[in-house]
Amino acid sequence: MLQVRRDLCLGCGLCIQNCPRQAISILWGKAEIDQSRCVPCRLCREVCPPGAIIEVAPVSIEELQTLVATLRQRADDLIKQLQP
Ligand code: SF4
Ligand code: SF4
């Protein structure tokens, strides 16, 4: 799955010009990919000057829940260590 890093996007529109599926639009000055239209052919990633389009692996809800639980546990452990 491809996503736009909003912190890197310049809003230049090059990705839009090169997308064969009209899957990209500019929202508040930054590119946005409509995942329901994206193939993904990766042409947008190739033309993006700052490299703002990145490939991300989809994460399942179970993986996300496990990650949140692990981070919560680590945060609790750190807080315990800091307490006198
Ligand atoms: S080509 Fe890259 S920098 Fe330009 S609008 Fe698209 S994502 Fe943003
Ligand atoms: S991967 Fe291809 S279809 Fe998807 S947004 Fe980029 S250019 Fe368009």
Side-chain angles (χ1 to χ4, degrees), residues 2 15-16 18-24 32-35 37-47 53:
L2 293 159
C15 53
I16 295 174
N18 286 276
C19 177
R21 299 271 299 164
Q22 289 81 47
I24 312 175
E32 285 255 329
I33 296 175
D34 178 349
Q35 301 297 338
R37 298 185 70 93
C38 179
V39 183
C41 65
R42 298 173 181 81
L43 285 172
C44 54
R45 194 178 62 175
E46 287 172 25
V47 299
I53 299 177

Side-chain angles (χ1 to χ4, degrees), residues 11 15-16 19-20 30 35 51 64 70 79 82:
C15 53
I16 295 174
C19 177
K30 307 286 180 178
Q35 301 297 338
L64 205 54
T70 304
I79 290 167
L82 293 172

